[in-house]
Coordinates of all heavy atoms in Angstrom, one line a residue:
M1 N -10.9 63.8 118.9 CA -10.9 63.8 120.3 C -9.4 63.8 120.8 O -8.6 63.0 120.4 CB -11.6 62.5 120.8 CG -11.8 62.6 122.3 SD -13.1 61.4 122.9 CE -12.6 59.8 122.1
S2 N -9.1 64.8 121.6 CA -7.7 65.0 122.1 C -7.7 65.1 123.6 O -8.6 65.9 124.1 CB -7.1 66.2 121.4 OG -5.8 66.4 122.0
H3 N -6.8 64.5 124.2 CA -6.8 64.5 125.7 C -5.4 65.0 126.1 O -4.4 64.3 126.2 CB -7.0 63.1 126.3 CG -8.4 62.6 126.0 ND1 -9.5 63.1 126.6 CD2 -8.8 61.8 125.0 CE1 -10.6 62.5 126.1 NE2 -10.2 61.7 125.1
V4 N -5.3 66.3 126.3 CA -4.0 66.9 126.6 C -3.5 66.5 128.0 O -2.3 66.5 128.2 CB -4.1 68.5 126.6 CG1 -4.2 69.0 125.2 CG2 -5.2 69.0 127.4
D5 N -4.4 66.1 128.9 CA -4.0 65.7 130.2 C -4.0 64.2 130.3 O -4.1 63.6 131.4 CB -4.9 66.3 131.2 CG -6.4 66.0 131.0 OD1 -6.7 65.4 129.9 OD2 -7.2 66.2 131.9
A6 N -3.8 63.5 129.2 CA -3.9 62.0 129.2 C -2.8 61.4 130.1 O -1.6 61.9 130.0 CB -3.7 61.5 127.8
P7 N -3.1 60.5 130.9 CA -2.1 59.9 131.8 C -1.2 58.8 131.1 O -0.2 58.4 131.8 CB -3.0 59.2 132.9 CG -4.2 58.9 132.2 CD -4.4 60.0 131.1
C8 N -1.4 58.5 129.9 CA -0.6 57.5 129.2 C -0.7 57.8 127.7 O -1.7 58.4 127.2 CB -0.9 56.1 129.6 SG -2.4 55.5 128.7
P9 N 0.3 57.3 126.9 CA 0.3 57.6 125.4 C -0.9 57.0 124.7 O -1.4 57.5 123.7 CB 1.6 56.9 124.9 CG 2.2 56.3 126.1 CD 1.5 56.6 127.3
H10 N -1.5 55.9 125.2 CA -2.6 55.3 124.6 C -3.9 56.1 124.7 O -4.7 56.3 123.8 CB -2.9 53.9 125.2 CG -1.7 53.0 125.3 ND1 -1.0 52.9 126.5 CD2 -1.1 52.3 124.4 CE1 0.0 52.1 126.3 NE2 0.0 51.7 125.0
L11 N -4.0 56.8 125.8 CA -5.2 57.7 126.0 C -5.0 59.0 125.4 O -5.9 59.8 125.2 CB -5.4 57.8 127.5 CG -6.0 56.5 128.2 CD1 -6.0 56.7 129.7 CD2 -7.4 56.2 127.7
E12 N -3.8 59.3 125.0 CA -3.5 60.6 124.2 C -4.1 60.4 122.8 O -4.6 61.4 122.3 CB -2.0 60.8 124.2 CG -1.6 62.3 124.1 CD -0.1 62.4 124.3 OE1 0.4 61.8 125.3 OE2 0.5 63.1 123.5
H13 N -4.0 59.2 122.3 CA -4.5 58.9 120.9 C -5.4 57.7 121.0 O -4.9 56.6 120.6 CB -3.4 58.8 119.9 CG -2.5 60.0 119.8 ND1 -2.9 61.1 119.2 CD2 -1.3 60.2 120.3 CE1 -1.9 62.0 119.3 NE2 -0.9 61.5 120.0
P14 N -6.5 57.8 121.6 CA -7.3 56.5 121.9 C -8.0 55.9 120.7 O -8.4 54.8 120.8 CB -8.3 57.0 122.9 CG -8.5 58.5 122.7 CD -7.2 59.0 122.2
G15 N -8.1 56.7 119.6 CA -8.8 56.2 118.4 C -10.3 56.5 118.6 O -10.7 57.0 119.7
N16 N -11.0 56.4 117.5 CA -12.4 56.8 117.6 C -13.3 55.9 116.7 O -14.3 56.3 116.2 CB -12.6 58.3 117.3 CG -12.2 58.6 115.9 OD1 -11.7 57.7 115.2 ND2 -12.3 59.8 115.4
T17 N -12.9 54.6 116.6 CA -13.7 53.7 115.8 C -15.1 53.5 116.4 O -15.2 53.3 117.7 CB -13.0 52.3 115.7 OG1 -11.6 52.6 115.3 CG2 -13.7 51.4 114.8
S18 N -16.1 53.6 115.6 CA -17.5 53.4 116.2 C -17.7 52.0 116.6 O -17.2 51.0 115.9 CB -18.5 53.8 115.1 OG -18.3 55.2 114.8
P19 N -18.5 51.8 117.6 CA -18.9 50.4 118.0 C -19.5 49.7 116.9 O -20.4 50.2 116.2 CB -19.8 50.6 119.2 CG -19.7 52.0 119.6 CD -19.1 52.8 118.5
T20 N -19.2 48.4 116.7 CA -19.7 47.6 115.6 C -21.0 46.9 116.0 O -21.7 46.2 115.2 CB -18.7 46.5 115.2 OG1 -18.4 45.7 116.4 CG2 -17.5 47.1 114.6
S21 N -21.4 47.1 117.3 CA -22.6 46.4 117.8 C -23.2 47.1 118.9 O -22.6 48.0 119.5 CB -22.2 44.9 118.2 OG -23.4 44.2 118.5
R22 N -24.4 46.8 119.3 CA -25.0 47.3 120.5 C -25.3 46.2 121.5 O -26.1 46.4 122.5 CB -26.3 48.1 120.2 CG -26.0 49.5 119.6 CD -25.5 50.5 120.7 NE -24.8 51.6 120.1 CZ -24.3 52.6 120.9 NH1 -24.4 52.6 122.2 NH2 -23.6 53.5 120.3
V23 N -24.7 45.0 121.3 CA -24.8 43.9 122.2 C -23.5 43.2 122.3 O -22.6 43.6 121.5 CB -25.9 42.8 121.7 CG1 -27.3 43.4 121.6 CG2 -25.5 42.3 120.3
C24 N -23.3 42.3 123.2 CA -22.0 41.5 123.2 C -22.3 40.3 122.3 O -23.0 39.4 122.8 CB -21.6 41.1 124.6 SG -20.1 40.1 124.6
D25 N -21.8 40.4 121.1 CA -22.1 39.3 120.1 C -21.6 37.9 120.6 O -22.3 36.9 120.3 CB -21.4 39.6 118.8 CG -22.1 40.8 118.1 OD1 -23.3 41.0 118.2 OD2 -21.3 41.7 117.6
E26 N -20.5 37.9 121.3 CA -20.0 36.6 121.8 C -20.9 36.0 122.9 O -21.1 34.8 122.9 CB -18.6 36.8 122.4 CG -17.6 37.1 121.2 CD -16.4 37.9 121.7 OE1 -16.4 39.1 121.8 OE2 -15.3 37.2 121.9
C27 N -21.5 36.9 123.8 CA -22.5 36.4 124.7 C -23.7 35.9 124.1 O -24.3 34.9 124.5 CB -22.8 37.5 125.8 SG -21.5 37.6 127.1
V28 N -24.2 36.7 123.1 CA -25.4 36.3 122.3 C -25.2 34.9 121.7 O -26.1 34.0 121.8 CB -25.7 37.3 121.2 CG1 -26.8 36.8 120.3 CG2 -26.2 38.6 121.9
A29 N -24.0 34.7 121.2 CA -23.7 33.4 120.5 C -23.7 32.3 121.6 O -24.1 31.1 121.3 CB -22.4 33.5 119.8
L30 N -23.3 32.6 122.8 CA -23.2 31.6 123.9 C -24.6 31.4 124.6 O -24.8 30.5 125.4 CB -22.2 32.0 124.9 CG -20.7 32.0 124.5 CD1 -19.9 32.7 125.5 CD2 -20.2 30.6 124.4
G31 N -25.5 32.4 124.4 CA -26.8 32.4 125.1 C -26.6 32.9 126.5 O -27.5 32.7 127.3
D32 N -25.6 33.7 126.8 CA -25.3 34.3 128.1 C -25.8 35.7 128.1 O -25.9 36.4 127.0 CB -23.9 34.2 128.5 CG -23.5 32.8 128.9 OD1 -24.3 32.0 129.3 OD2 -22.3 32.4 128.7
G33 N -25.9 36.3 129.3 CA -26.2 37.7 129.4 C -25.0 38.4 129.9 O -23.9 37.9 130.1
W34 N -25.1 39.8 130.1 CA -24.0 40.6 130.5 C -24.5 41.7 131.4 O -25.7 41.9 131.5 CB -23.2 41.2 129.3 CG -24.1 41.9 128.4 CD1 -24.5 43.3 128.5 CD2 -24.8 41.4 127.3 NE1 -25.3 43.6 127.5 CE2 -25.5 42.5 126.7 CE3 -24.8 40.2 126.6 CZ2 -26.3 42.4 125.6 CZ3 -25.6 40.1 125.5 CH2 -26.3 41.2 125.0
V35 N -23.6 42.4 132.1 CA -24.0 43.5 133.0 C -23.8 44.8 132.3 O -24.8 45.6 132.2 CB -23.1 43.5 134.3 CG1 -23.5 44.6 135.2 CG2 -23.3 42.1 135.0
H36 N -22.6 45.1 131.7 CA -22.4 46.4 131.0 C -21.6 46.1 129.8 O -20.9 45.1 129.7 CB -21.6 47.4 131.9 CG -22.3 47.9 133.1 ND1 -23.5 48.5 133.0 CD2 -22.0 47.8 134.4 CE1 -23.9 48.8 134.3 NE2 -23.0 48.4 135.1
L37 N -21.6 47.0 128.8 CA -20.9 46.8 127.6 C -19.8 47.8 127.4 O -19.9 49.0 127.9 CB -21.8 47.0 126.4 CG -22.9 46.0 126.2 CD1 -23.9 46.3 125.0 CD2 -22.3 44.6 126.0
R38 N -18.6 47.4 126.9 CA -17.5 48.2 126.6 C -17.1 48.1 125.2 O -17.2 47.0 124.6 CB -16.3 47.7 127.5 CG -16.6 47.4 128.9 CD -17.0 48.7 129.6 NE -17.2 48.6 131.0 CZ -18.2 49.2 131.7 NH1 -19.1 49.9 131.0 NH2 -18.3 49.1 133.0
A39 N -16.6 49.2 124.6 CA -16.3 49.2 123.1 C -14.8 49.5 123.0 O -14.2 50.4 123.6 CB -17.1 50.3 122.4
C40 N -14.1 48.7 122.1 CA -12.7 48.9 121.8 C -12.6 50.1 120.8 O -13.3 50.1 119.8 CB -12.2 47.6 121.1 SG -10.5 47.8 120.5
L41 N -11.7 51.0 121.1 CA -11.6 52.2 120.3 C -10.6 52.0 119.1 O -10.6 52.8 118.2 CB -11.1 53.4 121.1 CG -12.2 53.9 122.1 CD1 -11.6 55.1 122.9 CD2 -13.4 54.3 121.3
A42 N -9.9 50.8 119.1 CA -9.1 50.5 118.0 C -9.8 49.9 116.8 O -9.6 50.2 115.6 CB -7.9 49.6 118.4
C43 N -10.8 49.0 117.1 CA -11.4 48.2 116.0 C -13.0 48.2 116.1 O -13.6 47.7 115.3 CB -10.9 46.8 116.0 SG -11.5 45.8 117.4
G44 N -13.5 48.8 117.2 CA -15.0 48.8 117.4 C -15.6 47.6 118.0 O -16.8 47.5 118.1
H45 N -14.8 46.6 118.4 CA -15.3 45.4 119.1 C -16.1 45.8 120.3 O -15.7 46.6 121.1 CB -14.1 44.5 119.5 CG -14.5 43.4 120.4 ND1 -14.6 43.5 121.7 CD2 -14.8 42.1 120.0 CE1 -14.9 42.3 122.2 NE2 -15.1 41.4 121.2
V46 N -17.2 45.2 120.5 CA -18.1 45.4 121.7 C -18.0 44.1 122.5 O -18.3 43.0 122.0 CB -19.5 45.7 121.3 CG1 -20.4 45.8 122.5 CG2 -19.5 47.1 120.5
G47 N -17.7 44.3 123.8 CA -17.6 43.1 124.7 C -18.2 43.5 126.0 O -18.4 44.7 126.3
C48 N -18.4 42.5 126.9 CA -19.0 42.7 128.2 C -17.9 43.0 129.2 O -16.8 42.6 129.1 CB -19.9 41.6 128.6 SG -19.1 39.9 128.4
C49 N -18.3 43.7 130.3 CA -17.4 44.2 131.3 C -17.0 43.1 132.3 O -17.5 42.0 132.2 CB -18.1 45.3 132.1 SG -19.4 44.7 133.2
D50 N -16.1 43.4 133.2 CA -15.6 42.5 134.2 C -16.6 42.1 135.2 O -16.3 41.1 136.0 CB -14.3 43.0 134.8 CG -13.1 43.0 133.9 OD1 -13.2 42.4 132.8 OD2 -12.0 43.5 134.3
S51 N -17.7 42.7 135.3 CA -18.8 42.3 136.2 C -19.6 41.2 135.6 O -20.5 40.6 136.2 CB -19.7 43.5 136.6 OG -18.9 44.5 137.3
S52 N -19.4 41.0 134.3 CA -20.2 40.0 133.5 C -19.5 38.7 133.6 O -18.3 38.6 133.9 CB -20.3 40.5 132.1 OG -20.8 41.8 132.0
K53 N -20.3 37.6 133.4 CA -19.8 36.3 133.5 C -18.6 36.0 132.6 O -17.6 35.4 133.0 CB -20.9 35.3 133.1 CG -20.6 33.9 133.1 CD -21.8 33.0 132.7 CE -21.4 31.6 132.3 NZ -22.6 30.9 131.7
N54 N -18.6 36.5 131.3 CA -17.6 36.1 130.3 C -16.5 37.1 130.1 O -15.5 36.8 129.5 CB -18.3 35.8 129.0 CG -19.2 34.6 129.1 OD1 -18.8 33.6 129.5 ND2 -20.5 34.8 128.7
K55 N -16.7 38.3 130.6 CA -15.6 39.4 130.5 C -15.0 39.5 129.1 O -13.8 39.5 128.9 CB -14.4 39.0 131.5 CG -14.9 38.9 133.0 CD -13.7 38.6 133.9 CE -14.0 38.7 135.3 NZ -15.0 37.8 135.8
H56 N -15.8 39.6 128.1 CA -15.4 39.6 126.7 C -14.5 40.8 126.4 O -13.7 40.7 125.5 CB -16.5 39.4 125.8 CG -17.0 38.0 125.7 ND1 -18.3 37.6 125.9 CD2 -16.3 36.8 125.4 CE1 -18.4 36.3 125.8 NE2 -17.3 35.8 125.5
A57 N -14.8 42.0 127.0 CA -14.0 43.1 126.7 C -12.5 42.9 127.1 O -11.6 43.2 126.3 CB -14.5 44.4 127.4
T58 N -12.3 42.4 128.3 CA -10.9 42.1 128.8 C -10.3 41.0 127.9 O -9.1 41.0 127.6 CB -11.0 41.7 130.3 OG1 -11.4 42.8 131.0 CG2 -9.6 41.3 130.8
R59 N -11.1 40.0 127.6 CA -10.6 38.9 126.7 C -10.1 39.4 125.4 O -9.1 39.0 124.8 CB -11.6 37.8 126.5 CG -11.9 37.0 127.7 CD -12.6 35.7 127.3 NE -13.3 35.2 128.4 CZ -13.9 34.0 128.3 NH1 -13.8 33.2 127.2 NH2 -14.6 33.5 129.3
H60 N -10.9 40.4 124.9 CA -10.5 41.0 123.6 C -9.2 41.7 123.7 O -8.3 41.6 122.8 CB -11.6 42.0 123.2 CG -11.3 42.8 121.9 ND1 -11.3 42.2 120.7 CD2 -10.9 44.1 121.7 CE1 -11.0 43.1 119.7 NE2 -10.7 44.2 120.3
F61 N -8.9 42.4 124.8 CA -7.6 43.0 125.0 C -6.5 42.0 125.0 O -5.5 42.1 124.4 CB -7.6 43.8 126.3 CG -6.2 44.2 126.8 CD1 -5.4 45.0 126.0 CD2 -5.7 43.6 127.9 CE1 -4.1 45.3 126.4 CE2 -4.3 43.9 128.3 CZ -3.6 44.7 127.5
H62 N -6.7 40.9 125.8 CA -5.7 39.9 125.8 C -5.4 39.2 124.5 O -4.3 38.8 124.2 CB -6.0 38.8 126.9 CG -5.9 39.4 128.3 ND1 -4.7 39.8 128.8 CD2 -6.8 39.6 129.3 CE1 -4.9 40.3 130.1 NE2 -6.2 40.1 130.3
A63 N -6.5 39.1 123.7 CA -6.3 38.5 122.4 C -5.7 39.4 121.3 O -4.9 39.0 120.4 CB -7.7 38.0 121.9
T64 N -5.9 40.7 121.4 CA -5.5 41.7 120.4 C -4.5 42.7 120.8 O -3.9 43.3 120.0 CB -6.8 42.4 119.9 OG1 -7.3 43.2 121.0 CG2 -7.8 41.5 119.3
R65 N -4.4 42.9 122.1 CA -3.6 44.0 122.7 C -4.1 45.4 122.3 O -3.4 46.4 122.4 CB -2.1 43.9 122.4 CG -1.5 42.5 122.6 CD -1.8 41.9 123.9 NE -1.1 42.5 125.0 CZ -1.2 42.0 126.3 NH1 -2.0 41.0 126.6 NH2 -0.5 42.6 127.2
H66 N -5.3 45.5 121.9 CA -5.9 46.8 121.7 C -6.1 47.5 123.0 O -6.8 46.9 123.9 CB -7.3 46.7 120.9 CG -7.2 46.2 119.5 ND1 -8.2 45.7 118.8 CD2 -6.1 46.2 118.7 CE1 -7.8 45.3 117.6 NE2 -6.6 45.6 117.5
P67 N -5.5 48.6 123.3 CA -5.3 49.1 124.7 C -6.5 49.8 125.3 O -6.7 49.7 126.5 CB -4.1 50.0 124.6 CG -4.1 50.5 123.2 CD -4.6 49.4 122.4
V68 N -7.3 50.5 124.5 CA -8.3 51.4 125.1 C -9.7 51.0 124.8 O -10.1 50.8 123.6 CB -8.0 52.9 124.6 CG1 -9.0 53.9 125.2 CG2 -6.6 53.3 124.9
I69 N -10.5 51.1 125.8 CA -12.0 50.9 125.7 C -12.7 52.1 126.2 O -12.1 52.8 127.0 CB -12.5 49.6 126.4 CG1 -12.1 49.7 127.9 CG2 -12.0 48.3 125.8 CD1 -12.9 48.8 128.8
R70 N -13.9 52.2 125.8 CA -14.8 53.2 126.5 C -16.1 52.5 126.9 O -16.4 51.4 126.3 CB -15.1 54.4 125.5 CG -16.1 54.1 124.4 CD -16.4 55.4 123.7 NE -17.2 55.2 122.5 CZ -18.6 55.2 122.5 NH1 -19.2 55.2 123.7 NH2 -19.3 55.0 121.4
S71 N -16.8 53.1 127.8 CA -18.1 52.5 128.2 C -19.1 52.8 127.1 O -19.1 53.8 126.5 CB -18.6 53.2 129.5 OG -19.8 52.7 129.8
L72 N -20.0 51.8 126.9 CA -21.1 52.0 126.0 C -22.4 52.3 126.8 O -23.5 52.3 126.2 CB -21.4 50.7 125.2 CG -20.7 50.7 123.8 CD1 -21.2 49.5 123.0 CD2 -20.8 52.0 123.0
E73 N -22.3 52.5 128.1 CA -23.5 52.7 128.9 C -23.9 54.2 128.8 O -23.1 55.1 128.8 CB -23.2 52.4 130.4 CG -22.8 50.9 130.6 CD -23.9 50.0 130.1 OE1 -25.1 50.2 130.4 OE2 -23.5 49.0 129.3
A74 N -25.2 54.4 128.7 CA -25.7 55.8 128.6 C -25.2 56.6 129.8 O -25.3 56.1 131.0 CB -27.2 55.8 128.6
G75 N -24.7 57.8 129.6 CA -24.3 58.7 130.6 C -22.9 58.5 131.1 O -22.4 59.2 131.9
E76 N -22.2 57.4 130.6 CA -20.8 57.2 131.0 C -19.9 57.6 129.9 O -20.1 57.1 128.8 CB -20.6 55.7 131.4 CG -21.4 55.2 132.6 CD -21.0 53.8 133.0 OE1 -20.1 53.2 132.4 OE2 -21.6 53.3 134.0
R77 N -18.9 58.4 130.2 CA -18.1 58.9 129.1 C -16.6 58.6 129.3 O -15.7 59.1 128.7 CB -18.2 60.4 129.0 CG -19.6 60.9 128.6 CD -19.7 62.4 128.5 NE -18.7 63.0 127.7 CZ -18.6 63.1 126.4 NH1 -19.6 62.6 125.7 NH2 -17.6 63.6 125.8
W78 N -16.3 57.6 130.2 CA -14.9 57.4 130.5 C -14.2 56.5 129.5 O -14.9 55.7 128.8 CB -14.7 56.8 131.9 CG -15.6 55.6 132.2 CD1 -16.8 55.6 132.9 CD2 -15.4 54.2 131.8 NE1 -17.3 54.3 133.0 CE2 -16.5 53.5 132.3 CE3 -14.3 53.6 131.1 CZ2 -16.5 52.1 132.1 CZ3 -14.4 52.2 130.9 CH2 -15.5 51.5 131.4
L79 N -12.9 56.6 129.5 CA -12.0 55.7 128.7 C -11.1 54.9 129.7 O -10.8 55.4 130.8 CB -11.1 56.5 127.7 CG -11.8 57.4 126.8 CD1 -10.8 58.1 125.9 CD2 -12.8 56.7 125.9
W80 N -10.7 53.7 129.3 CA -9.8 52.9 130.2 C -8.7 52.3 129.3 O -9.0 51.8 128.2 CB -10.6 51.8 130.8 CG -9.8 50.9 131.7 CD1 -9.5 49.7 131.4 CD2 -9.3 51.2 133.0 NE1 -8.7 49.1 132.4 CE2 -8.6 50.0 133.4 CE3 -9.3 52.3 133.8 CZ2 -7.9 50.0 134.6 CZ3 -8.7 52.2 135.1 CH2 -8.0 51.1 135.5
C81 N -7.5 52.4 129.8 CA -6.3 51.8 129.2 C -6.0 50.5 129.9 O -5.6 50.6 131.1 CB -5.1 52.8 129.1 SG -3.7 52.0 128.4
Y82 N -6.1 49.4 129.3 CA -5.7 48.1 129.9 C -4.2 48.0 130.2 O -3.8 47.4 131.1 CB -6.1 47.0 129.0 CG -7.6 46.6 129.0 CD1 -8.4 46.8 127.9 CD2 -8.2 46.1 130.2 CE1 -9.7 46.4 127.9 CE2 -9.5 45.7 130.2 CZ -10.3 45.9 129.0 OH -11.6 45.6 129.0
V83 N -3.4 48.6 129.3 CA -2.0 48.4 129.4 C -1.4 49.1 130.6 O -0.7 48.5 131.4 CB -1.3 49.0 128.1 CG1 0.3 49.0 128.3 CG2 -1.7 48.3 126.9
D84 N -1.9 50.3 130.9 CA -1.4 51.1 132.0 C -2.3 51.1 133.2 O -2.0 51.6 134.3 CB -1.1 52.6 131.6 CG -0.1 52.6 130.5 OD1 1.1 52.4 130.8 OD2 -0.5 52.9 129.3
E85 N -3.5 50.5 133.0 CA -4.5 50.4 134.0 C -4.8 51.8 134.6 O -4.8 52.0 135.8 CB -4.1 49.4 135.1 CG -4.0 48.0 134.6 CD -3.8 46.9 135.6 OE1 -3.1 47.3 136.6 OE2 -4.3 45.8 135.5
V86 N -5.1 52.7 133.7 CA -5.5 54.1 134.1 C -6.7 54.4 133.2 O -6.9 54.0 132.1 CB -4.4 55.1 133.9 CG1 -3.3 54.9 134.9 CG2 -3.9 55.1 132.5
G87 N -7.5 55.3 133.7 CA -8.7 55.8 133.0 C -8.8 57.3 133.1 O -8.2 57.9 133.9
I88 N -9.6 57.8 132.2 CA -10.0 59.3 132.2 C -11.5 59.4 131.9 O -12.1 58.5 131.3 CB -9.2 60.1 131.2 CG1 -9.3 59.5 129.8 CG2 -7.7 60.2 131.6 CD1 -8.6 60.3 128.7
E89 N -12.0 60.5 132.4 CA -13.4 60.8 132.1 C -13.5 61.5 130.7 O -12.7 62.3 130.4 CB -13.9 61.8 133.1 CG -14.2 61.2 134.5 CD -15.4 60.3 134.5 OE1 -16.4 60.6 133.7 OE2 -15.4 59.3 135.1
Ligands
LIG1 ZN1 -2.0 53.4 128.1
LIG2 ZN1 -19.7 38.9 126.5
LIG3 ZN1 -10.2 45.9 119.3

């Protein structure tokens, strides 16, 4: 996957690690639900979005500094860079 029009260096080389889960494992462990799922492209971590109670995708970024996530929702193809706060389709 190459993005010639990437708005930041992280999105130029976002990585392509496959998601390690199809649920937010941290929410499952807590017994909580989520709204949408996001996948880290550096390590495959799956976490819940900022509309969810626990915001595990954003927490994963703060814990690891892995910059780029993608949506795991059907029909959504965007990527998002937490460092630069920019996204691409
Ligand atoms: Zn970036
Ligand atoms: Zn979660
Ligand atoms: Zn990660």
Side-chain angles (χ1 to χ4, degrees):
M1 193 160 47
S2 176
H3 297 283
V4 288
D5 56 350
C8 79
H10 312 99
L11 289 170
E12 212 170 308
H13 301 287
N16 60 359
T17 307
S18 297
T20 55
S21 186
R22 284 283 160 183
V23 296
C24 181
D25 292 319
E26 289 155 280
C27 279
V28 170
L30 291 166
D32 286 332
W34 56 85
V35 180
H36 295 300
L37 293 175
R38 310 300 183 220
C40 173
L41 290 179
C43 71
H45 171 274
V46 174
C48 49
C49 71
D50 284 354
S51 301
S52 309
K53 177 182 166 190
N54 293 307
K55 302 180 171 61
H56 282 126
T58 297
R59 286 198 207 190
H60 176 72
F61 163 67
H62 289 299
T64 63
R65 313 311 287 181
H66 293 161
V68 181
I69 55 162
R70 72 173 177 86
S71 176
L72 268 191
E73 299 303 311
E76 293 187 5
R77 294 180 52 80
W78 51 261
L79 307 179
W80 176 256
C81 175
Y82 281 115
V83 175
D84 299 291
E85 298 187 326
V86 289
I88 51 174
E89 285 289 324

